[in-house]
Coordinates of all heavy atoms in Angstrom, one line a residue:
S1 N -13.5 7.3 0.7 CA -13.2 7.3 2.1 C -14.1 6.3 2.9 O -15.2 6.1 2.4 CB -13.3 8.7 2.7 OG -12.9 8.7 4.1
A2 N -13.7 5.7 3.9 CA -14.5 4.9 4.8 C -14.0 5.1 6.2 O -12.8 5.4 6.5 CB -14.4 3.4 4.3
P3 N -14.8 4.8 7.2 CA -14.5 5.2 8.6 C -13.7 4.2 9.4 O -13.2 4.6 10.5 CB -15.9 5.4 9.3 CG -16.8 4.5 8.5 CD -16.3 4.5 7.1
V4 N -13.6 2.9 8.9 CA -13.0 1.9 9.8 C -11.7 1.4 9.1 O -11.7 1.0 8.0 CB -13.9 0.7 10.0 CG1 -13.3 -0.2 11.1 CG2 -15.3 1.2 10.5
R5 N -10.6 1.3 9.9 CA -9.3 0.9 9.4 C -9.2 -0.6 9.5 O -9.6 -1.2 10.5 CB -8.2 1.5 10.3 CG -6.8 1.1 9.8 CD -5.7 1.7 10.8 NE -4.4 1.4 10.4 CZ -3.7 0.3 10.7 NH1 -4.3 -0.7 11.5 NH2 -2.5 0.0 10.3
I6 N -8.8 -1.3 8.4 CA -8.6 -2.7 8.4 C -7.1 -3.0 8.8 O -6.9 -3.4 10.0 CB -8.8 -3.3 7.0 CG1 -10.2 -2.9 6.5 CG2 -8.7 -4.8 7.1 CD1 -10.5 -3.3 5.0
I7 N -6.2 -2.8 7.9 CA -4.7 -3.0 8.2 C -4.0 -2.0 7.3 O -4.6 -1.2 6.6 CB -4.2 -4.4 7.9 CG1 -4.5 -4.8 6.5 CG2 -4.8 -5.4 8.9 CD1 -3.9 -6.1 6.1
S8 N -2.7 -1.9 7.5 CA -1.8 -1.1 6.6 C -1.3 -1.9 5.5 O -1.1 -3.2 5.6 CB -0.7 -0.5 7.4 OG 0.3 0.0 6.6
M9 N -1.0 -1.3 4.4 CA -0.3 -1.9 3.3 C 1.1 -2.5 3.7 O 1.6 -3.4 3.1 CB 0.0 -1.0 2.1 CG -1.2 -0.7 1.2 SD -0.7 0.3 -0.2 CE -2.2 0.3 -1.2
A10 N 1.6 -2.0 4.8 CA 2.9 -2.5 5.4 C 2.7 -4.0 5.8 O 3.7 -4.7 5.8 CB 3.3 -1.7 6.5
E11 N 1.5 -4.4 6.0 CA 1.3 -5.8 6.5 C 1.0 -6.8 5.3 O 0.7 -7.9 5.5 CB 0.1 -5.8 7.5 CG 0.4 -5.0 8.7 CD -0.8 -4.8 9.6 OE1 -1.3 -5.9 10.1 OE2 -1.3 -3.7 9.8
L12 N 1.1 -6.2 4.1 CA 0.7 -7.0 2.9 C 2.0 -7.5 2.2 O 3.1 -6.9 2.3 CB 0.0 -6.2 1.9 CG -1.4 -5.6 2.4 CD1 -1.9 -4.6 1.3 CD2 -2.4 -6.7 2.6
D13 N 1.9 -8.6 1.5 CA 3.0 -9.1 0.7 C 3.0 -8.5 -0.7 O 4.0 -8.1 -1.2 CB 2.9 -10.6 0.6 CG 3.2 -11.3 1.9 OD1 4.4 -11.5 2.2 OD2 2.3 -11.6 2.6
T14 N 1.8 -8.4 -1.3 CA 1.6 -7.9 -2.7 C 0.3 -7.1 -2.8 O -0.7 -7.5 -2.3 CB 1.6 -9.1 -3.7 OG1 2.8 -9.9 -3.5 CG2 1.7 -8.5 -5.1
V15 N 0.4 -6.0 -3.6 CA -0.8 -5.2 -3.9 C -0.9 -5.3 -5.4 O 0.0 -5.0 -6.2 CB -0.6 -3.8 -3.5 CG1 -1.8 -2.9 -3.9 CG2 -0.4 -3.7 -2.0
F16 N -2.1 -5.7 -5.9 CA -2.4 -5.7 -7.3 C -3.4 -4.5 -7.6 O -4.5 -4.5 -7.0 CB -3.1 -7.0 -7.7 CG -2.3 -8.2 -7.5 CD1 -2.2 -8.9 -6.2 CD2 -1.5 -8.8 -8.5 CE1 -1.4 -10.0 -6.0 CE2 -0.7 -9.9 -8.3 CZ -0.7 -10.5 -7.1
V17 N -2.9 -3.7 -8.5 CA -3.7 -2.5 -8.9 C -3.7 -2.3 -10.4 O -3.0 -3.0 -11.1 CB -3.1 -1.2 -8.2 CG1 -3.4 -1.1 -6.8 CG2 -1.6 -1.1 -8.5
D18 N -4.6 -1.5 -10.9 CA -4.8 -1.3 -12.3 C -3.9 -0.2 -12.8 O -3.6 -0.1 -14.0 CB -6.2 -1.0 -12.7 CG -6.8 0.2 -12.0 OD1 -6.6 0.3 -10.7 OD2 -7.6 0.9 -12.6
R19 N -3.5 0.8 -12.0 CA -2.6 1.9 -12.4 C -1.6 2.1 -11.3 O -1.8 1.7 -10.1 CB -3.4 3.1 -12.6 CG -4.5 3.0 -13.7 CD -4.9 4.4 -14.2 NE -5.4 5.2 -13.2 CZ -6.7 5.2 -12.7 NH1 -7.6 4.3 -13.2 NH2 -7.1 6.0 -11.8
P20 N -0.5 2.7 -11.6 CA 0.6 3.0 -10.5 C 0.0 3.8 -9.4 O -0.8 4.7 -9.5 CB 1.7 3.7 -11.3 CG 1.5 3.4 -12.7 CD 0.0 3.2 -12.9
L21 N 0.5 3.4 -8.2 CA 0.2 4.2 -7.0 C 0.8 5.5 -7.0 O 1.9 5.7 -7.7 CB 0.6 3.4 -5.7 CG 0.0 2.1 -5.4 CD1 0.7 1.4 -4.3 CD2 -1.5 2.2 -5.1
P22 N 0.3 6.5 -6.3 CA 1.0 7.8 -6.2 C 2.4 7.6 -5.7 O 2.7 6.7 -5.0 CB 0.2 8.6 -5.2 CG -1.2 8.0 -5.2 CD -0.9 6.5 -5.5
G23 N 3.3 8.6 -6.1 CA 4.7 8.4 -5.8 C 5.1 8.2 -4.4 O 5.9 7.3 -4.0
E24 N 4.4 9.0 -3.5 CA 4.7 8.9 -2.0 C 4.3 7.5 -1.5 O 5.1 6.9 -0.7 CB 4.0 10.0 -1.2 CG 4.4 10.0 0.2 CD 3.8 11.1 1.0 OE1 3.2 12.1 0.3 OE2 3.8 11.2 2.2
L25 N 3.2 7.0 -1.9 CA 2.7 5.7 -1.5 C 3.6 4.6 -2.1 O 3.9 3.6 -1.4 CB 1.3 5.5 -1.8 CG 0.6 4.3 -1.2 CD1 0.8 4.2 0.3 CD2 -0.9 4.3 -1.6
T26 N 4.0 4.7 -3.3 CA 5.0 3.8 -3.9 C 6.2 3.7 -3.1 O 6.8 2.6 -2.9 CB 5.3 4.2 -5.4 OG1 4.1 4.1 -6.2 CG2 6.3 3.3 -6.0
G27 N 6.8 4.9 -2.7 CA 8.0 4.9 -1.9 C 7.8 4.2 -0.5 O 8.7 3.4 -0.1
K28 N 6.6 4.3 0.1 CA 6.3 3.7 1.3 C 6.3 2.1 1.1 O 6.8 1.4 2.0 CB 5.0 4.1 1.9 CG 5.0 5.6 2.5 CD 3.7 5.9 3.1 CE 3.8 7.3 3.7 NZ 2.5 7.7 4.3
C29 N 5.7 1.7 0.0 CA 5.6 0.3 -0.2 C 7.0 -0.3 -0.4 O 7.3 -1.4 0.0 CB 4.8 0.0 -1.5 SG 3.0 0.2 -1.2
R30 N 7.9 0.5 -1.0 CA 9.3 0.0 -1.1 C 9.9 -0.2 0.3 O 10.6 -1.1 0.6 CB 10.1 1.0 -1.9 CG 9.8 1.0 -3.4 CD 10.9 1.6 -4.2 NE 10.5 1.8 -5.6 CZ 10.1 3.0 -6.1 NH1 10.0 4.1 -5.3 NH2 9.7 3.1 -7.4
E31 N 9.7 0.8 1.1 CA 10.2 0.8 2.5 C 9.7 -0.4 3.3 O 10.4 -1.1 4.0 CB 9.9 2.1 3.3 CG 10.6 3.3 2.8 CD 10.1 4.6 3.5 OE1 9.5 4.4 4.6 OE2 10.3 5.7 3.0
W32 N 8.4 -0.7 3.1 CA 7.7 -1.8 3.8 C 8.0 -3.2 3.1 O 7.7 -4.2 3.6 CB 6.2 -1.6 3.8 CG 5.7 -0.4 4.5 CD1 6.3 0.2 5.5 CD2 4.6 0.4 4.1 NE1 5.6 1.3 5.9 CE2 4.5 1.5 5.1 CE3 3.6 0.3 3.1 CZ2 3.5 2.4 5.0 CZ3 2.6 1.3 3.1 CH2 2.6 2.3 4.0
E33 N 8.7 -3.1 1.9 CA 8.9 -4.3 1.1 C 7.6 -5.0 0.7 O 7.5 -6.2 0.7 CB 9.8 -5.3 1.9 CG 11.2 -4.7 2.2 CD 12.2 -5.7 2.9 OE1 11.7 -6.8 3.3 OE2 13.4 -5.4 3.0
T34 N 6.6 -4.2 0.4 CA 5.4 -4.6 -0.1 C 5.4 -4.5 -1.6 O 5.6 -3.4 -2.2 CB 4.2 -3.8 0.4 OG1 4.1 -3.9 1.9 CG2 2.9 -4.2 -0.2

């Protein structure tokens, strides 16, 4: 956790991770077309 918000994943084109995101967040990325 950290106290200051940068931006939302909704504002990103691509996210590179080492393991799959949790299901709910994966669903949000689909909605955002991220």
